[in-house]
PDB file of all heavy atoms in Angstrom:
ATOM      1  N   LEU H  65      10.468 111.875  93.504  1.00 99.00           N
ATOM      2  CA  LEU H  65      10.422 111.624  92.121  1.00 99.00           C
ATOM      3  C   LEU H  65      10.782 110.182  91.913  1.00 99.00           C
ATOM      4  O   LEU H  65      11.733 109.615  92.483  1.00 99.00           O
ATOM      5  CB  LEU H  65      11.437 112.588  91.359  1.00 99.00           C
ATOM      6  CG  LEU H  65      11.658 112.149  89.889  1.00 99.00           C
ATOM      7  CD1 LEU H  65      10.420 112.524  89.003  1.00 99.00           C
ATOM      8  CD2 LEU H  65      12.849 112.963  89.352  1.00 99.00           C
ATOM      9  N   ASP H  66       9.940 109.369  91.202  1.00 99.00           N
ATOM     10  CA  ASP H  66      10.095 107.994  90.941  1.00 99.00           C
ATOM     11  C   ASP H  66      10.653 107.922  89.506  1.00 99.00           C
ATOM     12  O   ASP H  66      10.049 108.077  88.512  1.00 99.00           O
ATOM     13  CB  ASP H  66       8.825 107.267  91.102  1.00 99.00           C
ATOM     14  CG  ASP H  66       8.851 105.785  90.922  1.00 99.00           C
ATOM     15  OD1 ASP H  66       9.955 105.247  90.636  1.00 99.00           O
ATOM     16  OD2 ASP H  66       7.830 105.085  91.147  1.00 99.00           O
ATOM     17  N   CYS H  67      11.924 107.434  89.357  1.00 98.00           N
ATOM     18  CA  CYS H  67      12.519 107.395  87.990  1.00 98.00           C
ATOM     19  C   CYS H  67      12.590 106.114  87.461  1.00 98.00           C
ATOM     20  O   CYS H  67      12.893 105.038  88.196  1.00 98.00           O
ATOM     21  CB  CYS H  67      14.046 107.813  88.203  1.00 98.00           C
ATOM     22  SG  CYS H  67      14.287 109.541  88.660  1.00 98.00           S
ATOM     23  N   GLY H  68      12.134 105.879  86.221  1.00 98.00           N
ATOM     24  CA  GLY H  68      11.966 104.584  85.634  1.00 98.00           C
ATOM     25  C   GLY H  68      10.716 103.942  86.297  1.00 98.00           C
ATOM     26  O   GLY H  68      10.755 102.781  86.721  1.00 98.00           O
ATOM     27  N   ALA H  69       9.667 104.734  86.601  1.00 98.00           N
ATOM     28  CA  ALA H  69       8.458 104.353  87.386  1.00 98.00           C
ATOM     29  C   ALA H  69       7.723 103.224  86.967  1.00 98.00           C
ATOM     30  O   ALA H  69       7.053 102.513  87.736  1.00 98.00           O
ATOM     31  CB  ALA H  69       7.663 105.565  87.609  1.00 98.00           C
ATOM     32  N   GLY H  70       7.716 102.968  85.651  1.00 98.00           N
ATOM     33  CA  GLY H  70       6.834 101.956  85.045  1.00 98.00           C
ATOM     34  C   GLY H  70       5.414 102.226  85.493  1.00 98.00           C
ATOM     35  O   GLY H  70       4.925 103.372  85.224  1.00 98.00           O
ATOM     36  N   ILE H  71       4.783 101.218  85.834  1.00 98.00           N
ATOM     37  CA  ILE H  71       3.249 101.398  86.184  1.00 98.00           C
ATOM     38  C   ILE H  71       3.151 102.035  87.573  1.00 98.00           C
ATOM     39  O   ILE H  71       1.903 102.220  88.115  1.00 98.00           O
ATOM     40  CB  ILE H  71       2.484 100.103  86.141  1.00 98.00           C
ATOM     41  CG1 ILE H  71       3.010  99.126  87.222  1.00 98.00           C
ATOM     42  CG2 ILE H  71       2.563  99.537  84.726  1.00 98.00           C
ATOM     43  CD1 ILE H  71       2.029  97.860  87.317  1.00 98.00           C
ATOM     44  N   GLY H  72       4.203 102.354  88.319  1.00 98.00           N
ATOM     45  CA  GLY H  72       4.081 103.010  89.694  1.00 98.00           C
ATOM     46  C   GLY H  72       4.172 101.964  90.819  1.00 98.00           C
ATOM     47  O   GLY H  72       3.783 102.327  91.886  1.00 98.00           O
ATOM     48  N   ARG H  73       4.759 100.841  90.577  1.00 98.00           N
ATOM     49  CA  ARG H  73       5.008  99.855  91.693  1.00 98.00           C
ATOM     50  C   ARG H  73       5.627 100.516  92.964  1.00 98.00           C
ATOM     51  O   ARG H  73       5.107 100.359  94.113  1.00 98.00           O
ATOM     52  CB  ARG H  73       5.728  98.657  91.310  1.00 98.00           C
ATOM     53  CG  ARG H  73       5.930  97.575  92.295  1.00 98.00           C
ATOM     54  CD  ARG H  73       6.979  96.483  91.846  1.00 98.00           C
ATOM     55  NE  ARG H  73       8.289  96.997  91.712  1.00 98.00           N
ATOM     56  CZ  ARG H  73       9.200  96.979  92.783  1.00 98.00           C
ATOM     57  NH1 ARG H  73       8.800  96.367  93.839  1.00 98.00           N
ATOM     58  NH2 ARG H  73      10.365  97.440  92.594  1.00 98.00           N
ATOM     59  N   ILE H  74       6.634 101.199  92.731  1.00 98.00           N
ATOM     60  CA  ILE H  74       7.397 101.780  93.894  1.00 98.00           C
ATOM     61  C   ILE H  74       6.678 102.973  94.419  1.00 98.00           C
ATOM     62  O   ILE H  74       6.580 103.276  95.671  1.00 98.00           O
ATOM     63  CB  ILE H  74       8.888 102.194  93.417  1.00 98.00           C
ATOM     64  CG1 ILE H  74       9.639 100.880  93.258  1.00 98.00           C
ATOM     65  CG2 ILE H  74       9.540 103.041  94.483  1.00 98.00           C
ATOM     66  CD1 ILE H  74      10.973 101.144  92.448  1.00 98.00           C
ATOM     67  N   SER H  75       6.067 103.815  93.558  1.00 98.00           N
ATOM     68  CA  SER H  75       5.306 104.945  94.020  1.00 98.00           C
ATOM     69  C   SER H  75       4.128 104.448  94.884  1.00 98.00           C
ATOM     70  O   SER H  75       3.925 105.033  95.887  1.00 98.00           O
ATOM     71  CB  SER H  75       4.667 105.704  92.799  1.00 98.00           C
ATOM     72  OG  SER H  75       5.761 106.508  92.219  1.00 98.00           O
ATOM     73  N   LYS H  76       3.428 103.390  94.519  1.00 98.00           N
ATOM     74  CA  LYS H  76       2.246 102.943  95.267  1.00 98.00           C
ATOM     75  C   LYS H  76       2.679 102.276  96.622  1.00 98.00           C
ATOM     76  O   LYS H  76       2.049 102.700  97.603  1.00 98.00           O
ATOM     77  CB  LYS H  76       1.665 101.815  94.418  1.00 98.00           C
ATOM     78  CG  LYS H  76       0.321 101.231  95.013  1.00 98.00           C
ATOM     79  CD  LYS H  76      -0.322 100.173  94.238  1.00 98.00           C
ATOM     80  CE  LYS H  76      -1.661  99.548  94.766  1.00 98.00           C
ATOM     81  NZ  LYS H  76      -2.732 100.258  94.408  1.00 98.00           N
ATOM     82  N   ARG H  77       3.702 101.458  96.648  1.00 98.00           N
ATOM     83  CA  ARG H  77       4.048 100.879  97.902  1.00 98.00           C
ATOM     84  C   ARG H  77       5.069 101.502  98.719  1.00 98.00           C
ATOM     85  O   ARG H  77       5.071 101.324  99.911  1.00 98.00           O
ATOM     86  CB  ARG H  77       4.613  99.497  97.471  1.00 98.00           C
ATOM     87  CG  ARG H  77       3.652  98.485  96.671  1.00 98.00           C
ATOM     88  CD  ARG H  77       2.650  97.835  97.411  1.00 98.00           C
ATOM     89  NE  ARG H  77       3.219  97.118  98.604  1.00 98.00           N
ATOM     90  CZ  ARG H  77       3.860  95.906  98.475  1.00 98.00           C
ATOM     91  NH1 ARG H  77       3.954  95.283  97.436  1.00 98.00           N
ATOM     92  NH2 ARG H  77       4.259  95.269  99.641  1.00 98.00           N
ATOM     93  N   LEU H  78       5.876 102.337  98.236  1.00 98.00           N
ATOM     94  CA  LEU H  78       7.017 102.959  98.976  1.00 98.00           C
ATOM     95  C   LEU H  78       6.808 104.431  99.142  1.00 98.00           C
ATOM     96  O   LEU H  78       6.865 105.008 100.245  1.00 98.00           O
ATOM     97  CB  LEU H  78       8.352 102.704  98.347  1.00 98.00           C
ATOM     98  CG  LEU H  78       9.577 103.332  98.983  1.00 98.00           C
ATOM     99  CD1 LEU H  78       9.844 102.751 100.299  1.00 98.00           C
ATOM    100  CD2 LEU H  78      10.788 103.166  98.061  1.00 98.00           C
ATOM    101  N   LEU H  79       6.743 105.223  97.878  1.00 98.00           N
ATOM    102  CA  LEU H  79       6.853 106.686  97.946  1.00 98.00           C
ATOM    103  C   LEU H  79       5.619 107.383  98.363  1.00 98.00           C
ATOM    104  O   LEU H  79       5.608 108.284  99.174  1.00 98.00           O
ATOM    105  CB  LEU H  79       7.336 107.143  96.663  1.00 98.00           C
ATOM    106  CG  LEU H  79       8.777 106.684  96.216  1.00 98.00           C
ATOM    107  CD1 LEU H  79       9.028 107.122  94.855  1.00 98.00           C
ATOM    108  CD2 LEU H  79       9.736 107.028  97.176  1.00 98.00           C
ATOM    109  N   LEU H  80       4.380 106.992  97.863  1.00 98.00           N
ATOM    110  CA  LEU H  80       3.170 107.631  98.259  1.00 98.00           C
ATOM    111  C   LEU H  80       2.794 107.432  99.718  1.00 98.00           C
ATOM    112  O   LEU H  80       2.229 108.318 100.325  1.00 98.00           O
ATOM    113  CB  LEU H  80       1.994 107.214  97.232  1.00 98.00           C
ATOM    114  CG  LEU H  80       1.974 107.864  95.943  1.00 98.00           C
ATOM    115  CD1 LEU H  80       1.114 107.153  94.978  1.00 98.00           C
ATOM    116  CD2 LEU H  80       1.542 109.360  96.064  1.00 98.00           C
ATOM    117  N   PRO H  81       3.045 106.287 100.395  1.00 98.00           N
ATOM    118  CA  PRO H  81       2.762 106.183 101.747  1.00 98.00           C
ATOM    119  C   PRO H  81       3.722 107.068 102.600  1.00 98.00           C
ATOM    120  O   PRO H  81       3.318 107.393 103.796  1.00 98.00           O
ATOM    121  CB  PRO H  81       3.123 104.747 102.027  1.00 98.00           C
ATOM    122  CG  PRO H  81       2.810 103.952 100.851  1.00 98.00           C
ATOM    123  CD  PRO H  81       3.394 104.950  99.710  1.00 98.00           C
ATOM    124  N   LEU H  82       4.862 107.534 102.053  1.00 98.00           N
ATOM    125  CA  LEU H  82       5.820 108.242 102.933  1.00 98.00           C
ATOM    126  C   LEU H  82       5.885 109.794 102.532  1.00 98.00           C
ATOM    127  O   LEU H  82       6.254 110.657 103.424  1.00 98.00           O
ATOM    128  CB  LEU H  82       7.184 107.667 102.727  1.00 98.00           C
ATOM    129  CG  LEU H  82       7.442 106.317 103.194  1.00 98.00           C
ATOM    130  CD1 LEU H  82       8.895 105.906 102.912  1.00 98.00           C
ATOM    131  CD2 LEU H  82       7.262 106.200 104.804  1.00 98.00           C
ATOM    132  N   PHE H  83       5.431 110.095 101.316  1.00 98.00           N
ATOM    133  CA  PHE H  83       5.531 111.546 100.906  1.00 98.00           C
ATOM    134  C   PHE H  83       4.160 112.074 100.494  1.00 98.00           C
ATOM    135  O   PHE H  83       3.221 111.395 100.147  1.00 98.00           O
ATOM    136  CB  PHE H  83       6.387 111.562  99.593  1.00 98.00           C
ATOM    137  CG  PHE H  83       7.932 111.267  99.849  1.00 98.00           C
ATOM    138  CD1 PHE H  83       8.324 109.994  99.847  1.00 98.00           C
ATOM    139  CD2 PHE H  83       8.850 112.272 100.231  1.00 98.00           C
ATOM    140  CE1 PHE H  83       9.646 109.582 100.156  1.00 98.00           C
ATOM    141  CE2 PHE H  83      10.145 111.976 100.467  1.00 98.00           C
ATOM    142  CZ  PHE H  83      10.571 110.635 100.466  1.00 98.00           C
TER     143      PHE H  83
END
Side-chain angles (χ1 to χ4, degrees):
L65 174 65
D66 184 355
C67 298
I71 62 168
R73 179 187 72 90
I74 293 164
S75 287
K76 184 183 179 86
R77 302 277 310 279
L78 176 71
L79 299 176
L80 282 165
L82 294 175
F83 293 85

